[in-house]
Amino acid sequence: MATVTERQDSDTGIPAPARTPLRVRQPAALIRFLLGLAAVCLTLLLADHAQATAGGLDADVAQGAGLVPRPVAGIAGALSTAALLLVPAASAGWRLLGREGRRGRQQVADGLLAAVLAYGASVALDLWADGPAAASLLTSLTHPLPGGGHTEPVYGYLAPVLGFLVASAARERRLPRAVLALSGAAGLIAGYASPLSVVLAVLIGWTTAHGTLYAIGVPDPRPLPEQLLRSLRQVGLRPSGVSAAGPDRYLVRQHDGRPDLDVLLLDRQALVAALFQRVWRRLRLRTAPHPRVLRSLRTGLEHEALVSYAAVAAGVRTRKVAATAELGPDAALVAYESLPGRTLAELADEELTDALVDDVWAQFKLLQTRQISHRALVSESVLVTADGAVHLVDLADGDIAASELVLRVDVAQLLTTLALRVGAERAVRRAVAVLGPDAVGSALPLLQPIALARPTRAALKEQGELLDAIRAEVLRTRPQAPVAAVRLERLRPRTLLAVVGGVVAGCLLLPQFFATDHNPIATMVDADPGWTALAVLAAAASHLAATMGFVGFVPERLHLGRAALTQVAGCFVKLVSPGGVGGVALNTRFLQRSGIPTAQALSSVGVGQLLGLILHLLQLGAFVYLLGRDPGEELTALPALVGGLGGAALLLALVFAVPQARRWLAARLRPLTAEVLPRLLDLLRSPGRLAVGIAGQLLVSLCLVACLYCCALAVGERPGFSSVAVALLIGNAVGSAAPTPGGVGAIDVALPNMLTATAAMTDSSAFAAVVLYRLLTFLLPVLPGWAAFAWLQRRRAL
């Protein structure tokens, strides 16, 4: 929220925000603007691609309107148009002549600006639909008029009127809504509008209003100190002054020696600002609190007061609720009895005695006994008053009757918070003394960063291995405690990316399968069996080459048969892991099971990945060079390649120019210099084994290129080998960067386009060749991969 300038209140003599309302940009307005924009685009898409549905809807409305006598329809249209113009005029007059003063005048000005922009957007859309747009779009949005011509694609004055009413924050809403509805219905009955043109008018007015409000801001809707004092007096308190104590927090003094009040302002706009973060955390984690923004302000007030009352009833020392009150539709307040004191983060190290830490755990135990969760036990939530008593505050995100999992997360959170101040050994020792070893041991599976609050995770980055130290102390106290981490994520980011990538890929690829001309399925059915057989052999040979590329970078002796089966099993693992992540994990696990220490196993796999990347780039450069020298080939995608390399170089230069990005890259490359390079030096002592590994890496790419080349020949095309190699190497690079399992979607879209650009293949033939190639290298090997994976697991090789 925006800051406000301070002034001295003439009535109370206390600092208060100036009366001149400042402009603030509300995140809710941006969210509504984006949603409205998406709705407008979807409506236009529906009008263009669902012409039969739009035409049927228009015909049904026209048939129903035909039952209304024409004189009645004409009178209704005239009256609704007059009412439509009178409503904003009456609203503006009421705001200008009423008691709202400057704020009312600003809101009327905002409404007029939104109305002008909405009218301009309507006219622009009308001109676009009449001109450059497809004729099918104009047909769906309009219908012919009896005297010639057609109706408007965006109906009448609905958009500017609605834009004015929304942007000016008109308080009376039922009458304007009724007038808008009647005006739209009158236009449909009189035949001057189509259903989609009315929908577009409403969406444009609503969207433009919220876009205007976000662009220019609105007067700060937060209550002024005078309003806070008035609301507190209305609930029976006797406030004498108010001063700001932090963002959305106020300290209120009272008459007659009554205790001061800590007033927390619940601001709807501040909650909306964190909407996406809180909703995503709720969707992702099983233990995340319910997003407060999804509750009404009254529900939020009731929840916060209920948790506070439950904590007080349990005997917990905390702030006591003195009053709650609503401050209009967008704000409310909770007034607590003031607790002067210092937070845990503000205490000196010598003040953190065992008695104080025990008191923290004792207060926490009272919450646990009554099954009350806190959910935010960070340093700022532990308050120590002047007499040394510990109070647990900030219970807004807490719950009563909390689940066992949430209560255990609270234990893990408080353990970590205290360990950050007093060390892992003292935090665990005092927790065991108060809670008992079983309660502390139950938190061990939840000592994971994702279960902790954001401030705690940030502090842990500076403390290194503190979580490991806490785990070790818990295990020392309770050796039989469960150690397996509890899965808290119900939805992982990579899973979401995989689903989105799959949906996008399906939308892009499915139309190709149902193409009426040059259907790729029919093309594959007619594929040459000889070239198809050679493609199968090349795909099978790639697994043998992958085995060479794997064992060649491991100095220790491996079982070649099992190593080969591990590469085949990688075809099954690719179904559930993005890019090469599954193969890396599978190879590392195989080396560990073969008796190689984890550090050396990771280093060997890292060496293979590093040299594989280098060889991939060298092969790409070589084939681009050969493609340029072949007089029968023409690299039409050369500008794109050069642009991509230039963009990568520019991005790398920017990373090195920004200190934060440079440090991030250095942190990611530190394992390379610490583990991979020493392993590579060890391999240089065995040049024969290293040559096998390099040859295997080269042969993997050549076998896959040969497979795609044979697939292209099988569908009747005659591309050059170099052009196919360039297309495949670039397509595989795109697939490795994609977050979808096996590069699904990215490879399937990139490869046909690359074949069309580099090998001059037709779209249908390129798509058919890629489908056949993916069938042989991605789908068909899944069953043998599963069998190899199961066999290796039974032999304890994985």
Side-chain angles (χ1 to χ4, degrees), residues 65-88:
L67 302 177
V68 180
R70 300 302 299 174
V72 174
I75 295 173
L79 292 177
S80 63
T81 301
L84 188 67
L85 297 177
L86 286 175
V87 164

PDB file of all heavy atoms in Angstrom, residues 65-88:
ATOM      1  N   ALA A  65     -38.086 -12.685 -29.553  1.00  0.00           N
ATOM      2  CA  ALA A  65     -38.409 -11.260 -29.663  1.00  0.00           C
ATOM      3  C   ALA A  65     -39.565 -11.023 -30.616  1.00  0.00           C
ATOM      4  O   ALA A  65     -40.294 -10.022 -30.483  1.00  0.00           O
ATOM      5  CB  ALA A  65     -37.182 -10.493 -30.129  1.00  0.00           C
ATOM      6  N   GLY A  66     -39.760 -11.926 -31.592  1.00  0.00           N
ATOM      7  CA  GLY A  66     -40.859 -11.752 -32.536  1.00  0.00           C
ATOM      8  C   GLY A  66     -42.223 -11.843 -31.881  1.00  0.00           C
ATOM      9  O   GLY A  66     -43.226 -11.394 -32.468  1.00  0.00           O
ATOM     10  N   LEU A  67     -42.294 -12.420 -30.702  1.00  0.00           N
ATOM     11  CA  LEU A  67     -43.575 -12.528 -30.000  1.00  0.00           C
ATOM     12  C   LEU A  67     -43.988 -11.221 -29.336  1.00  0.00           C
ATOM     13  O   LEU A  67     -45.126 -11.061 -28.912  1.00  0.00           O
ATOM     14  CB  LEU A  67     -43.480 -13.637 -28.933  1.00  0.00           C
ATOM     15  CG  LEU A  67     -43.104 -15.031 -29.445  1.00  0.00           C
ATOM     16  CD1 LEU A  67     -42.966 -16.007 -28.282  1.00  0.00           C
ATOM     17  CD2 LEU A  67     -44.149 -15.534 -30.436  1.00  0.00           C
ATOM     18  N   VAL A  68     -43.033 -10.274 -29.194  1.00  0.00           N
ATOM     19  CA  VAL A  68     -43.339  -8.985 -28.568  1.00  0.00           C
ATOM     20  C   VAL A  68     -43.825  -8.015 -29.649  1.00  0.00           C
ATOM     21  O   VAL A  68     -43.172  -7.870 -30.688  1.00  0.00           O
ATOM     22  CB  VAL A  68     -42.086  -8.412 -27.876  1.00  0.00           C
ATOM     23  CG1 VAL A  68     -42.401  -7.065 -27.232  1.00  0.00           C
ATOM     24  CG2 VAL A  68     -41.570  -9.394 -26.833  1.00  0.00           C
ATOM     25  N   PRO A  69     -44.949  -7.341 -29.453  1.00  0.00           N
ATOM     26  CA  PRO A  69     -45.428  -6.382 -30.461  1.00  0.00           C
ATOM     27  C   PRO A  69     -44.383  -5.299 -30.722  1.00  0.00           C
ATOM     28  O   PRO A  69     -43.712  -4.822 -29.805  1.00  0.00           O
ATOM     29  CB  PRO A  69     -46.701  -5.801 -29.821  1.00  0.00           C
ATOM     30  CG  PRO A  69     -47.127  -6.830 -28.814  1.00  0.00           C
ATOM     31  CD  PRO A  69     -45.883  -7.461 -28.324  1.00  0.00           C
ATOM     32  N   ARG A  70     -44.276  -4.882 -31.980  1.00  0.00           N
ATOM     33  CA  ARG A  70     -43.259  -3.900 -32.349  1.00  0.00           C
ATOM     34  C   ARG A  70     -43.430  -2.568 -31.619  1.00  0.00           C
ATOM     35  O   ARG A  70     -42.438  -1.981 -31.183  1.00  0.00           O
ATOM     36  CB  ARG A  70     -43.291  -3.662 -33.861  1.00  0.00           C
ATOM     37  CG  ARG A  70     -43.022  -4.893 -34.711  1.00  0.00           C
ATOM     38  CD  ARG A  70     -41.667  -5.514 -34.389  1.00  0.00           C
ATOM     39  NE  ARG A  70     -40.576  -4.601 -34.644  1.00  0.00           N
ATOM     40  CZ  ARG A  70     -39.311  -4.844 -34.349  1.00  0.00           C
ATOM     41  NH1 ARG A  70     -38.994  -5.980 -33.738  1.00  0.00           N
ATOM     42  NH2 ARG A  70     -38.363  -3.958 -34.623  1.00  0.00           N
ATOM     43  N   PRO A  71     -44.666  -2.029 -31.463  1.00  0.00           N
ATOM     44  CA  PRO A  71     -44.775  -0.756 -30.722  1.00  0.00           C
ATOM     45  C   PRO A  71     -44.260  -0.867 -29.291  1.00  0.00           C
ATOM     46  O   PRO A  71     -43.599   0.038 -28.785  1.00  0.00           O
ATOM     47  CB  PRO A  71     -46.282  -0.455 -30.761  1.00  0.00           C
ATOM     48  CG  PRO A  71     -46.769  -1.191 -31.963  1.00  0.00           C
ATOM     49  CD  PRO A  71     -45.961  -2.435 -32.028  1.00  0.00           C
ATOM     50  N   VAL A  72     -44.574  -1.985 -28.650  1.00  0.00           N
ATOM     51  CA  VAL A  72     -44.114  -2.171 -27.267  1.00  0.00           C
ATOM     52  C   VAL A  72     -42.594  -2.242 -27.224  1.00  0.00           C
ATOM     53  O   VAL A  72     -41.939  -1.653 -26.350  1.00  0.00           O
ATOM     54  CB  VAL A  72     -44.737  -3.448 -26.674  1.00  0.00           C
ATOM     55  CG1 VAL A  72     -44.150  -3.725 -25.285  1.00  0.00           C
ATOM     56  CG2 VAL A  72     -46.245  -3.314 -26.595  1.00  0.00           C
ATOM     57  N   ALA A  73     -42.007  -2.956 -28.193  1.00  0.00           N
ATOM     58  CA  ALA A  73     -40.546  -3.070 -28.233  1.00  0.00           C
ATOM     59  C   ALA A  73     -39.900  -1.705 -28.470  1.00  0.00           C
ATOM     60  O   ALA A  73     -38.870  -1.369 -27.861  1.00  0.00           O
ATOM     61  CB  ALA A  73     -40.126  -4.052 -29.319  1.00  0.00           C
ATOM     62  N   GLY A  74     -40.533  -0.870 -29.356  1.00  0.00           N
ATOM     63  CA  GLY A  74     -39.968   0.449 -29.617  1.00  0.00           C
ATOM     64  C   GLY A  74     -40.033   1.349 -28.401  1.00  0.00           C
ATOM     65  O   GLY A  74     -39.068   2.068 -28.085  1.00  0.00           O
ATOM     66  N   ILE A  75     -41.163   1.329 -27.709  1.00  0.00           N
ATOM     67  CA  ILE A  75     -41.290   2.160 -26.504  1.00  0.00           C
ATOM     68  C   ILE A  75     -40.304   1.714 -25.426  1.00  0.00           C
ATOM     69  O   ILE A  75     -39.648   2.528 -24.765  1.00  0.00           O
ATOM     70  CB  ILE A  75     -42.739   2.107 -25.981  1.00  0.00           C
ATOM     71  CG1 ILE A  75     -43.693   2.754 -27.007  1.00  0.00           C
ATOM     72  CG2 ILE A  75     -42.847   2.784 -24.629  1.00  0.00           C
ATOM     73  CD1 ILE A  75     -45.150   2.601 -26.643  1.00  0.00           C
ATOM     74  N   ALA A  76     -40.177   0.382 -25.240  1.00  0.00           N
ATOM     75  CA  ALA A  76     -39.248  -0.143 -24.229  1.00  0.00           C
ATOM     76  C   ALA A  76     -37.817   0.255 -24.567  1.00  0.00           C
ATOM     77  O   ALA A  76     -37.031   0.623 -23.678  1.00  0.00           O
ATOM     78  CB  ALA A  76     -39.384  -1.658 -24.138  1.00  0.00           C
ATOM     79  N   GLY A  77     -37.474   0.216 -25.852  1.00  0.00           N
ATOM     80  CA  GLY A  77     -36.123   0.600 -26.247  1.00  0.00           C
ATOM     81  C   GLY A  77     -35.846   2.056 -25.972  1.00  0.00           C
ATOM     82  O   GLY A  77     -34.759   2.415 -25.474  1.00  0.00           O
ATOM     83  N   ALA A  78     -36.821   2.935 -26.284  1.00  0.00           N
ATOM     84  CA  ALA A  78     -36.612   4.362 -26.051  1.00  0.00           C
ATOM     85  C   ALA A  78     -36.488   4.669 -24.565  1.00  0.00           C
ATOM     86  O   ALA A  78     -35.620   5.444 -24.134  1.00  0.00           O
ATOM     87  CB  ALA A  78     -37.770   5.150 -26.663  1.00  0.00           C
ATOM     88  N   LEU A  79     -37.385   4.074 -23.752  1.00  0.00           N
ATOM     89  CA  LEU A  79     -37.336   4.325 -22.316  1.00  0.00           C
ATOM     90  C   LEU A  79     -36.039   3.799 -21.691  1.00  0.00           C
ATOM     91  O   LEU A  79     -35.431   4.453 -20.827  1.00  0.00           O
ATOM     92  CB  LEU A  79     -38.541   3.676 -21.637  1.00  0.00           C
ATOM     93  CG  LEU A  79     -39.907   4.303 -21.962  1.00  0.00           C
ATOM     94  CD1 LEU A  79     -41.027   3.533 -21.279  1.00  0.00           C
ATOM     95  CD2 LEU A  79     -39.943   5.778 -21.512  1.00  0.00           C
ATOM     96  N   SER A  80     -35.600   2.610 -22.113  1.00  0.00           N
ATOM     97  CA  SER A  80     -34.376   2.047 -21.532  1.00  0.00           C
ATOM     98  C   SER A  80     -33.149   2.864 -21.925  1.00  0.00           C
ATOM     99  O   SER A  80     -32.222   3.037 -21.123  1.00  0.00           O
ATOM    100  CB  SER A  80     -34.204   0.591 -21.976  1.00  0.00           C
ATOM    101  OG  SER A  80     -34.055   0.515 -23.393  1.00  0.00           O
ATOM    102  N   THR A  81     -33.146   3.397 -23.168  1.00  0.00           N
ATOM    103  CA  THR A  81     -32.021   4.240 -23.579  1.00  0.00           C
ATOM    104  C   THR A  81     -31.976   5.525 -22.757  1.00  0.00           C
ATOM    105  O   THR A  81     -30.889   5.961 -22.318  1.00  0.00           O
ATOM    106  CB  THR A  81     -32.134   4.575 -25.068  1.00  0.00           C
ATOM    107  OG1 THR A  81     -32.145   3.363 -25.828  1.00  0.00           O
ATOM    108  CG2 THR A  81     -30.969   5.428 -25.519  1.00  0.00           C
ATOM    109  N   ALA A  82     -33.170   6.128 -22.530  1.00  0.00           N
ATOM    110  CA  ALA A  82     -33.206   7.339 -21.710  1.00  0.00           C
ATOM    111  C   ALA A  82     -32.755   7.043 -20.284  1.00  0.00           C
ATOM    112  O   ALA A  82     -31.971   7.795 -19.684  1.00  0.00           O
ATOM    113  CB  ALA A  82     -34.614   7.922 -21.714  1.00  0.00           C
ATOM    114  N   ALA A  83     -33.231   5.946 -19.735  1.00  0.00           N
ATOM    115  CA  ALA A  83     -32.827   5.592 -18.371  1.00  0.00           C
ATOM    116  C   ALA A  83     -31.335   5.289 -18.300  1.00  0.00           C
ATOM    117  O   ALA A  83     -30.659   5.626 -17.315  1.00  0.00           O
ATOM    118  CB  ALA A  83     -33.636   4.386 -17.892  1.00  0.00           C
ATOM    119  N   LEU A  84     -30.807   4.679 -19.362  1.00  0.00           N
ATOM    120  CA  LEU A  84     -29.384   4.342 -19.389  1.00  0.00           C
ATOM    121  C   LEU A  84     -28.517   5.597 -19.339  1.00  0.00           C
ATOM    122  O   LEU A  84     -27.439   5.586 -18.736  1.00  0.00           O
ATOM    123  CB  LEU A  84     -29.078   3.529 -20.652  1.00  0.00           C
ATOM    124  CG  LEU A  84     -27.679   2.915 -20.763  1.00  0.00           C
ATOM    125  CD1 LEU A  84     -27.498   1.830 -19.713  1.00  0.00           C
ATOM    126  CD2 LEU A  84     -27.466   2.320 -22.154  1.00  0.00           C
ATOM    127  N   LEU A  85     -28.978   6.661 -19.956  1.00  0.00           N
ATOM    128  CA  LEU A  85     -28.210   7.902 -19.938  1.00  0.00           C
ATOM    129  C   LEU A  85     -28.444   8.708 -18.664  1.00  0.00           C
ATOM    130  O   LEU A  85     -27.578   9.465 -18.223  1.00  0.00           O
ATOM    131  CB  LEU A  85     -28.573   8.750 -21.160  1.00  0.00           C
ATOM    132  CG  LEU A  85     -28.241   8.120 -22.520  1.00  0.00           C
ATOM    133  CD1 LEU A  85     -28.717   9.007 -23.652  1.00  0.00           C
ATOM    134  CD2 LEU A  85     -26.743   7.859 -22.641  1.00  0.00           C
ATOM    135  N   LEU A  86     -29.615   8.546 -18.047  1.00  0.00           N
ATOM    136  CA  LEU A  86     -29.923   9.302 -16.838  1.00  0.00           C
ATOM    137  C   LEU A  86     -29.221   8.733 -15.601  1.00  0.00           C
ATOM    138  O   LEU A  86     -28.876   9.482 -14.685  1.00  0.00           O
ATOM    139  CB  LEU A  86     -31.437   9.321 -16.602  1.00  0.00           C
ATOM    140  CG  LEU A  86     -32.253  10.231 -17.528  1.00  0.00           C
ATOM    141  CD1 LEU A  86     -33.745  10.053 -17.260  1.00  0.00           C
ATOM    142  CD2 LEU A  86     -31.852  11.700 -17.316  1.00  0.00           C
ATOM    143  N   VAL A  87     -29.008   7.416 -15.563  1.00  0.00           N
ATOM    144  CA  VAL A  87     -28.422   6.796 -14.369  1.00  0.00           C
ATOM    145  C   VAL A  87     -27.039   7.351 -14.071  1.00  0.00           C
ATOM    146  O   VAL A  87     -26.764   7.780 -12.941  1.00  0.00           O
ATOM    147  CB  VAL A  87     -28.403   5.262 -14.524  1.00  0.00           C
ATOM    148  CG1 VAL A  87     -27.474   4.634 -13.504  1.00  0.00           C
ATOM    149  CG2 VAL A  87     -29.802   4.709 -14.339  1.00  0.00           C
ATOM    150  N   PRO A  88     -26.094   7.382 -15.035  1.00  0.00           N
ATOM    151  CA  PRO A  88     -24.775   7.945 -14.698  1.00  0.00           C
ATOM    152  C   PRO A  88     -24.848   9.440 -14.381  1.00  0.00           C
ATOM    153  O   PRO A  88     -24.092   9.922 -13.529  1.00  0.00           O
ATOM    154  CB  PRO A  88     -23.938   7.670 -15.947  1.00  0.00           C
ATOM    155  CG  PRO A  88     -24.918   7.454 -17.041  1.00  0.00           C
ATOM    156  CD  PRO A  88     -26.112   6.848 -16.404  1.00  0.00           C
TER     157      PRO A  88
END
